[in-house]
Amino acid sequence: MNLYSKRDHGYRELDATVLELYTTAIEGYLRAWQRYLATRRLTEQLRTALESRPVIEQAKGILMVLNNCGAEQAFATLVDYSRRSNTKLREVAERMISEAVSPASTDHRR
């Protein structure tokens, strides 16, 4: 924060001290607010990750069975498809599960 006076040495020493205390308090508040917002964003990201994990794990399991591969390879396949299709990993996993359990995929007579 910048404060100006119309004349030289426009602020008394007491004014300058009070302004310094004020700006220090505001700076501390703004830093705390930024930390709060960062923590809130991180919490939301972690919550989303925890909600997405079971869906992704199910899709990995489907890929492991279909492709006879390990967990790492199945996950790499999901990530690769997600990147190439510019789609979130959770959405790719949800789509894969949906297609795997749809009646058309379980009806082998067609």
Side-chain angles (χ1 to χ4, degrees):
M1 176 170 21
N2 294 322
L3 299 172
Y4 299 96
S5 175
K6 291 182 180 183
R7 56 185 188 193
D8 289 342
H9 306 290
Y11 295 104
R12 296 177 302 192
E13 188 174 327
L14 177 62
D15 295 334
T17 303
V18 169
L19 286 171
E20 187 174 337
L21 285 172
Y22 172 74
T23 56
T24 301
I26 294 298
E27 179 184 8
Y29 171 78
L30 291 174
R31 287 179 193 264
W33 181 251
Q34 289 296 333
R35 283 192 306 270
Y36 165 76
L37 291 177
T39 302
R40 193 168 152 185
R41 278 191 301 273
L42 178 61
T43 301
E44 191 57 38
Q45 290 170 350
L46 291 172
R47 181 176 291 123
T48 300
L50 284 174
E51 291 170 357
S52 299
R53 184 174 179 165
V55 174
I56 293 168
E57 291 298 319
Q58 288 175 359
K60 279 174 45 180
I62 292 169
L63 283 174
M64 289 167 66
V65 169
L66 292 176
N67 298 333
N68 193 25
C69 65
E72 288 182 20
Q73 180 59 44
F75 185 70
T77 301
L78 282 172
V79 170
D80 184 54
Y81 186 81
S82 171
R83 189 174 2 100
R84 283 187 289 117
S85 65
N86 197 25
T87 307
K88 290 183 179 181
L89 186 60
R90 178 188 173 107
E91 292 173 14
V92 168
E94 287 172 342
R95 190 176 319 132
M96 178 177 291
I97 293 167
S98 176
E99 290 174 6
V101 298
S102 70
S105 68
T106 57
D107 186 1
H108 298 290
R109 292 175 285 161
R110 293 184 188 196

